[in-house]
Amino acid sequence: MTTGPSQRMLRVGEQVRHALSDVLTRGEVRDDIIESTVISISEVRMSPDLKIATAFVSPLGAADNDAVIKALARNAKFIRGRVSGALRQMRSMPEFRFRLDTSYDNMSKIDQLLRSPEVARDLAKDEKEED
């Protein structure tokens, strides 16, 4: 049986998410791709030992999402240094990894499936059987 993240991992992940968002919002990272893209950080998942922070990002309006992820990875050490001030309470600063957040795409696909005629027909049958 696998358990989910601990309260500590969730709390630290949220603190890291806020710190990362602040650094990116202030435009502290000098990279053309990052500077020209609005980047939303939806979640940061911490490893159990809090040494790795995986940030799930959504580049808004970017032509090439992979290029944005690569630019963030290229600047991960610099970002780590800029975030360290906001995370002084941590024993050690985590290593940052950036991944594309596909949850919005998945939600859209599920929404489309739920609105399909086949599913609507099946749901209508279930409602009639309950009456």
Side-chain angles (χ1 to χ4, degrees):
M1 181 174 103
T2 58
T3 60
S6 68
Q7 287 297 313
R8 184 172 183 223
M9 290 165 59
L10 294 171
R11 181 177 36 83
V12 171
E14 190 60 18
Q15 290 172 334
V16 171
R17 187 183 73 78
H18 280 282
L20 275 172
S21 293
D22 289 345
V23 167
L24 293 174
T25 301
R26 288 192 302 259
E28 295 181 28
V29 182
R30 297 288 170 225
D31 186 292
D32 292 339
I33 295 172
I34 295 173
E35 287 179 323
S36 64
T37 306
V38 175
I39 300 171
S40 171
I41 302 173
S42 56
E43 180 184 6
V44 174
R45 291 184 192 159
M46 300 301 298
S47 63
D49 61 2
L50 304 180
K51 292 187 184 228
I52 298 173
T54 303
F56 291 88
V57 300
S58 298
L60 306 175
D64 185 3
N65 290 341
D66 290 335
V68 174
I69 298 297
K70 287 177 184 174
L72 287 167
R74 229 183 0 259
N75 290 284
K77 287 184 180 177
F78 176 79
I79 293 169
R80 183 181 183 192
R82 300 305 299 173
V83 166
S84 64
L87 302 172
R88 283 187 291 273
Q89 76 280 8
M90 293 187 71
R91 195 173 304 148
S92 63
M93 201 50 42
E95 173 189 325
F96 289 110
R97 295 183 181 165
F98 297 94
R99 303 286 182 264
L100 193 60
D101 183 7
T102 58
S103 63
Y104 297 112
D105 296 336
N106 294 341
M107 285 188 290
S108 176
K109 288 177 186 173
I110 291 170
D111 189 50
Q112 284 178 332
L113 282 172
L114 290 174
R115 294 175 190 274
S116 72
E118 295 84 7
V119 172
R121 183 188 65 229
D122 291 345
L123 289 175
K125 283 181 188 176
D126 288 345
E127 288 176 6
K128 286 180 184 177
E129 291 173 3
E130 289 178 4
D131 291 337

